[in-house]
Amino acid sequence: MRFEPRRNKTVSPRTRRLRVAGGALCAAALAATLVTGCGQDSGDKTASETSEAAKVLPNQTTSPSGSVSGSPSETAQLTKDQSERKELLSTVKVTFDKAATTAVGEVSGGKLTDLDLEGLDDDDDASGSPSPTGSASPTGSPTGGTSPSPEGSASPSGTGSPSPSGSSAGPKWVAEVVEEDGTAHNVTIDAVSGAVIDSAPDADQSDSDKQELADQISKATQTPQQAAKVATDKKPGKVTSVGLDENDSNALVWQVDVVSKDWKKTTFDVDAAKGTITDEQVDDD
């Protein structure tokens, strides 16, 4: 077997060693019939193939890691509000329809006027982060942490990210069900089990409040379930809030919040008498 280095003038000793290594690799990787094929290749071809093999083989162990590194980037693209919606809704087992049926069943002859998933897109933070930072909380000393640590020890939801509802009891549906005379009842439903947590009349209602609610439910010929269907037909997703209210034009509408697959929230105004969409707003957060 003769090697004629025609172009590798300055590296002939190294080329000679690579040829030997190339022959060994071919003999181990291929069958005996391929050994003669490797030996019959020209010197330059054998050297180049051997050097390429030496480059590729060590890199094969690192290539799979590239595919894994791309996955976290999808979650990094979500905004804070989108991440909170995703986290909370992943724990909810009771849909809007089921919660609405349960709430109405608590009040004989009542009609649903409002149903919200507590803790979703709310402005009022239950964490109360400014107050625990004061020096009046001695519970922080056993933990040995910084000033935010008392908040974590007092409220498990502060440290446990899987519980986004701000309560150890989990997510809840909060409903308002109104009798024909306008008397409102507040009903709270566990959004995981579907059990009624609390049901009681609204003690803060005035006579004018009752009259206003009585007028509204008499004019709302569209049910909240019908309004929710109109909204989700336009934007498929999960209904997280439905409320009877008057818009800026004093028209009675159902305001329906829908969270789509991209975890963005869209609020629809659905005419409470005609069942048509009069307004649509997408929350960019």
Side-chain angles (χ1 to χ4, degrees):
M1 180 166 139
R2 182 182 177 189
F3 300 96
E4 297 178 0
R6 287 172 290 181
R7 283 174 290 202
N8 300 333
K9 295 181 180 180
T10 60
V11 291
S12 58
R14 182 180 179 185
T15 304
R16 198 172 296 112
R17 288 195 296 271
L18 289 174
R19 289 173 195 154
V20 176
L25 285 173
C26 291
L30 306 176
T33 56
L34 296 180
V35 176
T36 56
C38 290
Q40 291 173 357
D41 288 339
S42 65
D44 290 311
K45 185 176 180 182
T46 304
S48 62
E49 288 177 350
T50 305
S51 61
E52 288 300 320
K55 293 177 183 177
V56 173
L57 288 174
N59 292 332
Q60 287 180 349
T61 57
T62 58
S63 58
S65 62
S67 61
V68 180
S69 62
S71 55
S73 62
E74 297 179 0
T75 57
Q77 294 175 358
L78 297 178
T79 65
K80 181 176 180 291
D81 287 343
Q82 287 173 320
S83 298
E84 289 176 352
R85 292 177 195 131
K86 179 180 179 180
E87 191 174 12
L88 178 61
L89 288 173
S90 65
T91 65
V92 173
K93 305 301 181 185
V94 178
T95 62
F96 156 79
D97 289 339
K98 292 180 179 178
T101 301
T102 301
V104 171
E106 287 295 305
V107 181
S108 178
K111 292 185 178 180
L112 184 71
T113 56
D114 195 88
L115 182 61
D116 291 298
L117 188 58
E118 186 181 65
L120 195 67
D121 296 303
D122 289 344
D123 293 331
D124 49 340
D125 246 341
S127 61
S129 54
S131 55
T133 57
S135 58
S137 58
T139 56
S141 55
T143 62
T146 56
S147 58
S149 61
E151 182 184 15
S153 59
S155 109
S157 63
T159 56
S161 57
S163 136
S165 65
S167 170
S168 59
K172 306 179 189 67
W173 287 102
V174 180
E176 180 185 71
V177 182
V178 179
E179 297 181 47
E180 189 176 355
D181 66 353
T183 301
H185 295 255
N186 298 320
V187 183
T188 304
I189 301 164
D190 189 302
V192 178
S193 66
V196 175
I197 299 173
D198 185 53
S199 178
D202 186 354
D204 297 329
Q205 264 191 307
S206 63
D207 291 338
S208 60
D209 292 336
K210 290 182 179 181
Q211 185 61 51
E212 183 180 2
L213 283 175
D215 290 342
Q216 286 182 346
I217 61 175
S218 66
K219 295 176 182 177
T221 56
Q222 295 288 312
T223 66
Q225 289 88 343
Q226 289 172 324
K229 187 179 185 306
V230 170
T232 52
D233 283 347
K234 180 70 181 294
K235 174 83 71 174
K238 296 182 179 180
V239 176
T240 59
S241 177
V242 174
L244 188 62
D245 202 356
E246 291 183 350
N247 62 11
D248 295 337
S249 302
N250 295 325
L252 191 63
V253 297
W254 287 105
Q255 289 191 334
V256 184
D257 287 349
V258 178
V259 175
S260 48
K261 289 183 178 180
D262 57 4
W263 308 109
K264 290 184 178 180
K265 183 187 72 173
T266 304
T267 301
F268 294 93
D269 282 0
V270 181
D271 191 293
K274 301 176 182 178
T276 55
I277 295 174
T278 60
D279 189 51
E280 177 181 347
Q281 294 184 358
V282 179
D283 191 340
D284 293 330
D285 293 334

